[in-house]
Amino acid sequence: MKFKLIFFSLLLGLSVLNGTSQNSKVPDGFCISQLEYSLFQMINQHRERISLPPIPLSNSLCYVAKTHAKDLSENYPFGDDCKMLSWSSKGNWKPFCYPAEQNKKNDIKDKAKEISGYPGKAWEITYWENTQLDLNFVLEFWLGIPYTANMINSAQNWAATPWKSIGVGIQDGYVLVWFGQKEDIQPVTVICETGEQIQHVAGTIETRQVIQVEESRIVISENKAFYIIIGSFNRKSDADSAVKGYKEMGYSNAVIVEEQGKIRVAIDRFISEKEAGTALTEYRKKFQGAWIFSK
């Protein structure tokens, strides 16, 4: 029998580093996965339901989160007294054992600045389990714990100063979210699977589709995507189950497409009609009746 093991940590603190300069250490070509972007959306959708503004996605904090998730996946545990907020000695950073080494001159909240050049202090919440990851459960788990719920909900100690940056990293069951009270001067983050550029402007989220053409990067239509539709459903719950099943089969880009009251499931999506047309020929070998829908 396989048991589910769950661990989480949180970092509390209120002080914020002054200053706005930022020397980015985020490498060129950095991107986040669709799964990571989905968790970012889920957190902001939850905040919207309780009348809170969205937290801008931070490229710097996403890099910190993904770097830490990789370190935890490959090297944790770091020692008997080192919690998940700790960092190993096997990377391009100063190792840190939390809480043993936490003091005024050596603050775990400065890790984001060290790793990515983020211009202020940042706070992290973590989660790990050894079974198949369910992001809905992860978010519900955090919201069921007062400390992490207050961070996500900007409540109690976190109510006075709003979050201005958020970063997400996921690897091998480790799920990390970083919150910052400084704006990131690198507001654009790319989704690995689609090439979408996620950019925050005046509290809103905008996306731009990009494709590679003769080694140069060009922008095509705003928010335009071409979906390969393989099914329609009357109930959202049925569509959710279908998407989950397809993802388990290895179709990581499966997604629900809602338009004018119609609920459809797409097995894949593309940023150009030509790419979608080429892929459709192959998908029709497995899914008869598949067709392309653009929005």
Side-chain angles (χ1 to χ4, degrees):
M1 179 180 295
K2 188 173 185 179
F3 293 92
K4 176 184 284 190
L5 301 178
I6 299 173
F7 296 94
F8 80 102
S9 302
L10 64 154
L11 178 60
L12 300 178
L14 294 174
S15 59
V16 179
L17 185 68
N18 291 324
T20 58
S21 64
Q22 178 180 13
N23 297 315
S24 175
K25 301 178 183 178
V26 180
D28 293 338
F30 171 74
C31 59
I32 65 172
S33 70
Q34 185 66 57
L35 186 65
E36 290 162 334
Y37 183 59
S38 295
L39 179 56
F40 157 75
Q41 290 179 304
M42 290 168 60
I43 291 173
N44 274 334
Q45 287 166 0
H46 163 75
R47 287 174 57 87
E48 182 180 8
R49 287 193 291 270
I50 58 176
S51 301
L52 290 173
I55 308 173
L57 187 65
S58 162
N59 197 52
S60 298
L61 292 185
C62 282
Y63 177 66
V64 176
K66 287 175 69 73
T67 301
H68 197 197
K70 184 175 186 293
D71 185 36
L72 289 169
S73 172
E74 295 178 353
N75 302 307
Y76 191 75
F78 309 136
D80 294 338
D81 298 325
C82 300
K83 308 302 182 184
M84 263 200 292
L85 295 174
S86 306
W87 292 73
S88 78
S89 60
K90 299 180 180 179
N92 189 25
W93 54 74
K94 297 177 182 177
F96 194 102
C97 179
Y98 184 87
E101 296 178 352
Q102 173 74 1
N103 57 61
K104 292 182 179 179
K105 295 183 179 180
N106 196 23
D107 194 336
I108 190 66
K109 297 187 291 295
D110 289 327
K111 270 298 173 190
K113 182 178 181 181
E114 176 194 342
I115 302 299
S116 70
Y118 178 74
K121 293 184 184 293
W123 292 257
E124 178 184 42
I125 59 176
T126 69
Y127 172 98
W128 177 80
E129 69 172 76
N130 68 337
T131 60
Q132 184 172 341
L133 198 61
D134 182 341
L135 293 185
N136 288 300
F137 177 82
V138 176
L139 183 55
E140 290 175 4
F141 180 81
W142 279 332
L143 292 174
I145 299 168
Y147 293 128
T148 47
N150 286 337
M151 292 181 74
I152 295 170
N153 295 337
S154 295
Q156 300 295 323
N157 292 340
W158 312 101
T161 306
W163 299 123
K164 295 184 178 180
S165 299
I166 188 173
V168 179
I170 299 174
Q171 182 164 330
D172 298 332
Y174 289 94
V175 185
L176 313 182
V177 178
W178 285 72
F179 298 90
Q181 292 175 337
K182 293 287 188 179
E183 293 180 358
D184 189 354
I185 64 170
Q186 289 195 334
V188 177
T189 302
V190 176
I191 299 179
C192 304
E193 293 90 337
T194 65
E196 288 175 291
Q197 292 183 344
I198 311 303
Q199 183 173 19
H200 290 263
V201 179
T204 63
I205 302 172
E206 296 182 355
T207 63
R208 292 182 296 169
Q209 316 288 343
V210 295
I211 57 175
Q212 292 289 133
V213 177
E214 297 179 350
E215 297 184 351
S216 64
R217 210 165 177 81
I218 67 171
V219 176
I220 61 175
S221 57
E222 296 278 335
N223 297 314
K224 190 75 170 179
F226 297 87
Y227 298 86
I228 296 181
I229 304 297
I230 60 171
S232 298
F233 297 83
N234 294 322
R235 297 188 303 177
K236 179 73 159 34
S237 59
D238 293 336
D240 284 332
S241 297
V243 168
K244 182 178 180 180
Y246 289 127
K247 286 182 179 293
E248 291 174 351
M249 294 167 60
Y251 297 102
S252 59
N253 291 335
V255 67
I256 292 175
V257 181
E258 296 188 62
E259 181 77 8
Q260 297 181 345
K262 296 182 179 179
I263 304 172
R264 302 184 175 105
V265 168
I267 197 67
D268 209 341
R269 63 177 179 174
F270 298 87
I271 59 177
S272 77
E273 188 172 9
K274 182 178 180 180
E275 288 179 315
T278 300
L280 179 63
T281 301
E282 294 300 315
Y283 276 118
R284 278 181 171 169
K285 296 177 182 179
K286 299 180 180 179
F287 304 98
Q288 295 184 1
W291 56 285
I292 293 176
F293 174 75
S294 64
K295 63 176 294 189

